[in-house]
């Protein structure tokens, strides 16, 4: 499949451009829109608002928490593409209509532009975050 | 959105781009010659095309010049020409209707992306694309393509593969991805499976075994051999909750698409053990012909692969589905019994009807319904049993599926005209020779109710509006003295190729159609014929109005230039010979229903001669009620609005049969 490689390359170019010029050129923004479609603008908005937090535990486990527009906190995994938001379950898992949801895209963009907030927690706290997500779903 | 933020900037860029695209498209429509300015234009020929997450990925060959300037012999794939991967958004692809062998001109601004591990460049932002047709070949190709390729292939993207934004060199990148533990099914190379479908694995013959052994993940590598018993469409509103591991539904409600009525093609299949399953395939557009799918697929064996379980449903929860399954039970040939060894063919026909059924769907968009056109009809196939309407009216049960062939005489919408297509309900009044030839005891015409859940193809809807039609009703439901068409009922215009027509008479009606006469047994929402004498006229309801003789538009306007003339704005022309339509309520005394007052709403055009006297009088605006009373009327065909006993009164409306 081609699309993940294309998405990855696009994000990498955004990172390189940002590192060199502290800016993202217009054509890369339009490229984001082309590949990610309706996710692009909301994801950029989340980055503008610094909504992505990288949560890290002493053992090196990482996950991302994204503050959604409704005020709800969504968890995105770092080891695979997963987000606890309903749009992910629907557009990505069920319908295969999108590669990512806006939260996961915001995570990547925040990484590329150094816009992640950092939070260090204990092992137990990280575990609780992961378990709490499961309980919420039920 | 944040002021000065990236999101705001992208919005602005996007709006600008959108205007540029629509302007460009508009320009393309107006001048259809290839523009002479070729700078920056990419000319590509599509070799193959797949869809990944709504983006269409086309593997193309870059051409030096447009093949329109070359002769057909020269337009051969030159192995040295560079290969590109061109991406199109779903909207652009729909506009272009890309197929392999198409030549596309891509105008700037497009973007090129070079991927790290691949030597094939990727072209994006291809909004300004235009298809160039080679006139001799294009038509023929469009036709053959339409018949063979009914399904779009999709590639599944693995969620296990995350994006690495670090600048690592190619070698390290490959190593680290090898070390990743695959936690999701491997991506499947579409083209391979397309060429060697059976190489996937041995073909199984039990649906139950496959479902229970593989779980909800999907059985991408396994194939099950089944017989297609029925093909039909279901409205997409009838969505099912999807399964995830742990039985937690991810999606609570089905999607109400804004596209034209969303309809899914479905199959009811049966395996060698007699077990049924409903397979939901792709969405159909209104132009797809369900009749063609039925003819090609029903009765044939096929291999199911790449399926996912949506739901396990039971008799109590899906009455409509099980009424169809019951009509196919018991199987016409003995079926295998699970647990017996394959060699000793211990088969039995005394099995009870099934109490559960799996609803399956295609997992990734790949549909491996390999149906060979020339293949034999399977022995397990039970074609619909066609009965005459007379026999159906005598069936004793409730919720029985029945099939019949009948002439549709009149159609009446039960819902209002502006209700969307997928919610309309209607009544079709039908008859056949067995009902027409009877003297008394059973009605001459039967009303068939078509519920909104019964999907009608555009062909049927247009045919019914055009005139009286012979229609095959497949798997309609009979119960409580009524025939209804619900989900899984299919209306077809052509006679079924195979059907057991035990008592049915598939011949056309000879002679004019007769309706039952209005009498004390007439019920509301039926049609009948009547004759009688005019005993009164409801003057307050009388009015006439001119209509356009071309299009029937009833709202004509006075011509501004000449106040004597009428103008129709639907035809945009003056109406020189308007047709006068009239509406009037008359009270009749009918010998067949002597105890009641019969009120008939009469519609007439000036050109018919049935009710001439009254017509002429109204037109000339000089009518006197006295001269109309006592006139004989009949035989009028009418739709019965209501029949009440206290007071004894029947309200009808004159109709014109199809």
């Amino acid at each position: 499949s081609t699309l993940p490689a294309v998405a990855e390359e696009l994000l990498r170019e955004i990172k390189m451009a940002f590192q060199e010029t502290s800016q993202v050129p217009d054509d890369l923004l339009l490229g984001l829109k082309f590949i990610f479609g309706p996710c692009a603008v909301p994801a950029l908005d989340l980055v503008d608002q610094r909504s992505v937090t990288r949560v890290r535990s002493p053992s090196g486990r990482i996950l991302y928490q994204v503050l959604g527009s409704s005020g709800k906190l969504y968890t995105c995994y770092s080891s695979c593409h997963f987000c606890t938001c309903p749009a992910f379950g629907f557009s990505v898992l069920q319908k295969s209509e999108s590669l990512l949801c806006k939260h996961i895209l915001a995570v990547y963009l925040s990484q590329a532009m150094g816009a992640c907030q950092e939070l260090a927690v204990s092992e137990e706290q990280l575990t609780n975050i992961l378990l709490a997500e499961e309980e919420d779903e039920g | 959105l944040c002021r000065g933020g990236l999101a705001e900037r992208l919005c602005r860029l996007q709006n600008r781009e959108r205007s540029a695209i629509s302007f460009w498209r508009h320009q393309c429509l107006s001048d259809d010659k290839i523009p002479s300015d070729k700078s920056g234009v990419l000319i590509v020929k599509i070799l193959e095309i797949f869809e990944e997450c709504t983006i269409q990925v086309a593997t193309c060959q870059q051409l030096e010049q447009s093949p329109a300037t070359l002769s057909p012999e020269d337009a051969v794939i030159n192995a040295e020409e560079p290969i590109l991967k061109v991406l199109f958004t779903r909207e652009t692809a729909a506009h272009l209707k890309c197929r392999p062998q198409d030549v596309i001109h891509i105008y700037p601004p497009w973007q090129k992306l070079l991927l790290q591990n691949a030597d094939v460049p990727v072209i994006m932002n291809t909004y300004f694309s235009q298809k160039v047709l080679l006139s001799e070949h294009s038509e023929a190709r469009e036709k053959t393509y339409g018949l063979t390729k009914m399904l779009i292939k999709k590639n599944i993207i693995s969620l296990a593969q995350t994006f690495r934004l670090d600048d690592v060199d190619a070698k390290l990148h490959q190593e680290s991805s090898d070390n990743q533990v695959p936690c999701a099914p491997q991506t499947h190379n579409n083209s391979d499976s397309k060429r060697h479908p059976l190489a996937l694995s041995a073909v199984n013959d039990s649906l139950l075994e496959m479902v229970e052994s593989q779980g909800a993940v999907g059985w991408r590598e396994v194939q099950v051999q089944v017989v297609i018993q029925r093909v039909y469409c279901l409205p997409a509103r009838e969505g099912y909750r999807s399964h995830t591991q742990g039985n937690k539904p991810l999606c609570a409600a089905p999607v109400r698409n804004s596209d034209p009525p969303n309809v899914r093609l479905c199959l009811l299949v049966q395996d060698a053990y007699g077990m049924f399953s409903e397979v939901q395939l792709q969405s159909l557009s209104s132009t797809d012909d369900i009749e063609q799918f039925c003819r090609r697929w029903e009765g044939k064996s096929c291999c199911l692969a790449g399926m996912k379980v949506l739901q396990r449903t039971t008799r109590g929860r899906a009455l409509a589905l099980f009424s169809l399954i019951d009509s196919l039970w018991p199987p016409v040939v003995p079926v295998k019994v699970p647990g017996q060894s394959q060699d000793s063919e211990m088969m039995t026909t005394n099995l009870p009807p099934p109490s559960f059924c799996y609803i399956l769907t295609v997992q990734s968009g790949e549909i491996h319904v390999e149906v060979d056109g020339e293949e034999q009809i399977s022995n397990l196939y039970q074609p619909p049993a066609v009965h005459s309407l007379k026999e159906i009216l005598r069936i004793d049960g409730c919720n029985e599926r029945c099939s019949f062939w009948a002439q549709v005489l009149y159609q009446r919408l039960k819902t209002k005209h502006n209700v969307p297509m997928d919610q309309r309900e209607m009544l079709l009044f039908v008859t056949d020779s067995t009902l027409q030839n009877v003297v008394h005891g059973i009605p001459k015409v039967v009303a068939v109710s078509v519920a909104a859940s019964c999907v009608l193809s555009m062909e049927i809807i247009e045919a019914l509006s055009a005139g009286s039609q012979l229609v095959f009703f497949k798997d309609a439901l009979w119960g409580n003295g009524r025939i209804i068409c619900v989900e899984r009922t299919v209306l077809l215009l052509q006679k079924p190729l195979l059907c057991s027509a035990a008592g049915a008479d598939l011949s056309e009606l000879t002679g004019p159609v007769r309706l039952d006469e209005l009498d004390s047994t007439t019920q509301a929402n039926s049609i009948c014929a009547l004759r009688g004498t005019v005993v009164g006229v409801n003057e307050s309801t009388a009015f006439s109005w001119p209509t356009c003789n071309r299009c029937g538009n009833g709202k004509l306007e006075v011509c501004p230039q000449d106040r004597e003339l009428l103008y129709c704005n639907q035809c945009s022309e003056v109406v020189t010979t308007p047709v006068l339509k009239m509406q009037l309520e008359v009270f009749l005394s009918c010998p067949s229903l002597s105890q009641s007052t019969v009120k008939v709403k009469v519609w007439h055009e000036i050109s018919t001669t049935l009710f001439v006297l009254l017509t002429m009088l109204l037109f000339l605006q000089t009518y006197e009620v006295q001269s109309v009373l006592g006139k004989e009327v009949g035989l009028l065909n009418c739709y019965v609005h209501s029949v009440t006993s206290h007071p004894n009164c029947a309200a009808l409306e004159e109709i014109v049969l199809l």
Side-chain angles (χ1 to χ4, degrees):
Chain A
S1 53
T2 314
L3 210 58
V6 175
E8 185 180 62
E9 182 59 36
L10 185 64
L11 290 167
R12 196 182 285 127
E13 294 216 355
I14 289 180
K15 177 174 180 172
M16 288 200 308
F18 191 81
Q19 276 175 346
E20 284 168 40
T21 65
S22 300
Q23 273 209 57
V24 182
D26 285 352
D27 57 345
L28 288 180
L29 284 184
L30 285 173
L32 272 182
K33 177 71 195 160
F34 181 82
I35 297 290
F36 295 108
C39 280
V41 171
L44 286 170
D45 187 42
L46 288 170
V47 176
D48 288 337
Q49 299 195 36
R50 297 286 183 274
S51 310
V52 177
T53 307
R54 183 194 283 126
V55 181
R56 200 188 173 94
S57 74
S59 65
R61 263 201 289 175
I62 294 180
L63 55 80
Y64 293 90
Q65 287 202 306
V66 183
L67 187 63
S69 40
S70 53
K72 199 159 177 222
L73 212 56
Y74 296 108
T75 302
C76 300
Y77 295 175
S78 55
S79 53
C80 67
H81 283 159
F82 183 80
C83 176
T84 53
C85 73
F88 179 83
F90 187 74
S91 303
V92 179
L93 288 182
Q94 195 180 352
K95 289 217 129 184
S96 283
E97 264 178 5
S98 287
L99 269 181
L100 312 169
C101 66
K102 64 185 181 208
H103 307 110
I104 303 181
L105 183 55
V107 167
Y108 279 116
L109 289 170
S110 300
Q111 283 180 322
M113 296 190 261
C116 289
Q117 313 230 30
E118 299 280 345
L119 181 66
V121 297
S122 69
E123 292 300 338
E124 203 181 303
Q125 283 170 319
L126 198 118
T127 309
N128 284 339
I129 295 175
L130 289 168
L131 289 178
E133 297 299 342
E134 264 199 32
E135 276 164 23
D136 278 346
E137 275 183 68
Chain B
L1 295 179
C2 283
R3 301 220 114 211
L6 291 164
E8 192 193 48
R9 183 146 64 100
L10 179 53
C11 268
R12 262 187 285 122
L13 290 169
Q14 189 192 321
N15 289 336
R16 230 185 287 161
E17 194 177 55
R18 254 206 293 256
S19 333
I21 295 168
S22 53
F23 180 71
W24 188 85
R25 291 237 175 106
H26 187 77
Q27 245 194 344
C28 283
L29 286 176
S30 39
D31 33 84
D32 50 5
K33 295 241 186 294
I34 303 163
S36 52
D37 173 24
K38 296 278 195 64
S39 61
V41 180
L42 258 188
I43 304 176
V44 298
K45 182 186 208 157
I46 299 182
L47 300 175
E48 31 172 37
I49 185 161
F50 295 115
E51 188 174 310
E52 291 182 32
C53 288
T54 80
I55 300 274
Q56 302 238 343
V57 180
T59 306
C60 304
Q61 200 168 37
Q62 185 174 3
L63 304 175
E64 280 305 308
Q65 38 174 167
S66 171
T69 61
L70 305 168
S71 64
E73 293 81 55
D74 291 343
V76 164
I77 293 177
N78 184 349
E80 280 139 29
E81 307 239 324
I83 299 279
L84 297 173
K85 277 206 178 154
V86 182
L87 307 183
F88 296 103
T89 57
R90 190 192 249 170
E91 199 248 352
T92 313
H95 182 77
L96 291 174
K97 296 189 184 46
C98 315
R99 300 272 191 263
Q101 302 304 311
D102 279 347
V103 174
I104 311 281
H105 283 217
I106 306 172
Y107 290 82
W110 42 264
Q111 285 190 36
K112 183 152 125 171
L113 205 65
L114 291 166
L115 301 179
Q116 292 226 332
N117 296 327
D119 28 327
V120 176
V122 173
I123 309 292
M124 311 188 335
N125 284 50
T126 51
Y127 301 106
F128 305 92
S129 298
Q130 196 180 26
K131 181 152 75 169
V132 175
L133 293 172
L134 303 169
S135 47
E136 318 91 61
H137 302 296
S138 59
E139 262 186 57
R141 225 185 308 128
E142 292 290 332
K143 277 203 195 116
T144 53
Y145 213 79
L147 280 178
T148 53
K149 182 122 180 164
M150 296 195 248
L151 314 163
I152 300 178
K153 305 280 179 189
K154 288 187 193 180
N155 274 324
I156 263 212
I157 316 277
S158 164
L159 295 175
Q161 196 181 351
T162 50
F163 300 152
R164 298 187 63 90
L165 303 192
D166 312 316
D167 235 359
V168 284
D169 61 60
K171 193 158 172 266
L172 269 174
H173 183 87
Q174 266 177 351
E175 272 178 9
S176 47
S177 50
D178 284 341
N179 288 336
Q180 276 185 347
V181 176
C183 57
Q186 294 295 319
T187 53
H188 208 67
N189 191 337
N190 224 13
S191 48
D192 283 344
S193 63
K194 198 159 143 316
R195 278 190 290 254
H196 309 287
L198 293 179
L200 287 174
S201 85
V203 176
N204 207 291
D205 62 358
S206 166
L207 282 166
L208 188 60
E209 198 183 296
M210 282 308 106
V211 169
E212 295 189 332
S213 63
Q214 295 261 323
V217 174
W219 338 315
R220 305 200 65 232
E221 278 101 53
V222 186
Q223 296 191 37
V224 186
Q225 176 105 11
V226 293
V227 172
I228 300 178
Q229 289 283 7
R230 292 288 186 269
V231 179
Y232 46 81
C233 291
L234 285 182
R237 271 182 283 132
E238 214 186 82
Y240 292 98
R241 286 170 200 271
S242 69
H243 274 241
T244 60
Q245 260 132 356
N247 278 335
K248 286 195 183 135
L250 284 174
C251 170
V255 177
R256 189 74 73 98
N257 227 329
S258 55
D259 286 354
N262 214 346
V263 172
R264 305 202 78 170
L265 185 63
C266 300
L267 311 176
L268 185 68
V269 299
Q270 190 176 26
D271 67 9
Y273 293 84
M275 183 166 137
F276 287 94
S277 179
E278 183 174 84
V279 183
Q280 296 192 348
L281 299 180
Q282 81 272 25
S283 295
L284 278 187
S285 75
S286 53
T287 50
D288 285 325
D289 186 10
I290 175 75
E291 199 147 344
Q292 220 200 40
F293 285 106
C294 287
R295 283 179 109 82
R296 284 179 58 155
W297 289 358
E298 272 196 11
K300 306 262 169 70
S301 288
C302 79
C303 278
L304 296 179
M307 301 283 148
K308 185 178 81 162
V309 179
L310 268 188
Q311 195 186 22
R312 178 188 186 276
T313 189
T314 55
R315 186 172 283 276
R317 277 195 271 152
L319 289 172
L321 172 60
F322 279 87
S323 67
L324 184 60
I325 290 176
D326 287 345
S327 71
L328 297 168
W329 197 263
V332 285
V333 293
V335 291
K336 293 191 195 168
V337 175
Q340 309 280 1
S341 74
Q342 300 292 60
D343 294 336
S344 72
E345 309 220 308
M346 294 289 295
M347 302 185 183
T348 174
T349 50
N350 292 330
L351 293 170
S355 57
F356 68 91
C357 175
Y358 281 98
I359 315 279
L360 309 172
T361 186
V362 179
Q363 184 175 36
S364 61
E366 294 173 29
I367 300 167
H368 286 292
V369 178
E370 308 280 337
V371 180
D372 187 2
E374 288 87 52
E375 220 175 87
Q376 298 277 18
I377 302 292
S378 163
N379 304 348
L380 193 55
Y381 174 56
Q382 272 198 57
V386 181
H387 295 284
S388 66
L389 284 172
K390 184 164 147 187
E391 287 175 327
I392 290 174
L393 293 179
R394 286 199 290 215
I395 292 176
D396 217 359
C398 195
N399 278 337
E400 300 267 333
R401 291 274 177 174
C402 55
S403 302
F404 56 92
W405 174 250
Q407 181 102 18
V408 176
L409 302 175
Y410 180 64
Q411 142 183 314
R412 194 167 183 101
L413 272 182
K414 274 158 73 170
T415 47
K416 292 217 189 306
H417 282 274
N418 51 5
V419 165
M421 281 286 254
D422 54 347
Q423 288 168 40
R424 51 96 204 98
E425 289 181 6
M426 63 168 97
L427 279 179
L428 295 177
F429 292 92
V430 305
T431 188
D432 67 1
S433 48
T434 60
L435 292 187
Q436 286 285 305
N437 297 334
V438 167
V439 178
H440 55 239
I442 51 171
K444 292 199 168 58
V445 174
V446 172
V448 174
S449 185
V450 181
S453 55
C454 175
V455 176
L456 297 181
S457 66
M458 277 318 291
E459 212 189 20
I460 281 270
I461 293 174
E462 282 166 7
L464 286 177
S465 329
S468 178
Q469 294 288 336
L470 277 166
V471 174
F472 180 57
F473 292 78
K474 185 169 71 151
D475 298 320
L477 211 58
W478 162 258
N480 292 331
R482 291 172 53 223
I483 303 178
I484 49 175
C485 296
V486 289
E487 66 258 23
R488 300 184 182 83
T489 304
V490 185
L491 273 64
L492 302 165
L493 287 176
Q494 290 184 22
K495 278 189 196 164
L497 280 178
L498 317 142
C499 56
S500 60
D505 184 2
L506 299 191
S507 60
E508 310 237 338
L509 292 175
T510 52
V513 167
R514 292 190 312 274
L515 303 183
D516 289 308
E517 208 163 323
L518 175 71
D519 64 15
S520 48
T521 64
T522 306
Q523 298 190 330
N525 302 320
S526 64
I527 60 176
C528 66
L530 60 79
R531 62 180 97 237
T533 333
V534 180
V535 295
V537 168
N538 193 347
E539 297 178 61
S540 58
T541 62
F543 69 91
S544 63
W545 68 102
T547 61
C548 173
N549 55 324
R550 280 177 298 263
C551 68
N553 177 17
K555 298 195 172 77
L556 299 181
E557 293 172 1
V558 175
C559 237
Q561 293 88 13
D562 183 348
R563 302 222 129 233
E564 297 283 301
L565 293 176
L566 294 167
Y567 184 81
C568 171
N569 32 20
Q570 278 181 22
C571 299
S572 305
E573 278 181 38
V574 169
V575 183
T576 45
T577 47
V579 173
L580 197 73
K581 284 211 174 146
M582 243 176 5
Q583 181 190 292
L584 177 68
E585 271 180 7
V586 294
F587 293 98
L588 300 181
S589 156
C590 300
S592 53
L593 192 62
S594 48
Q595 302 300 321
S596 303
T597 319
V598 178
K599 182 173 76 167
V600 182
K601 191 193 274 188
V602 176
W603 309 78
H604 266 294
E605 295 177 8
I606 196 77
S607 41
T608 61
T609 54
L610 224 94
F611 209 2
V612 175
L613 185 64
L614 193 58
T615 307
M616 292 304 293
L617 289 173
L618 280 175
F619 177 52
L620 294 172
Q621 304 274 310
T622 58
Y623 92 100
E624 284 174 21
V625 176
Q626 294 302 104
S627 52
V628 164
L629 294 180
K631 290 286 173 254
E632 298 259 332
V633 171
L635 206 52
L636 283 182
N637 291 330
C638 294
Y639 173 78
V640 183
H641 279 286
S642 64
V643 177
T644 53
S645 46
H646 295 293
N648 270 349
C649 152
L652 303 99
E653 176 187 319
E654 190 191 0
I655 59 172
V656 177
L657 295 181
L658 289 171

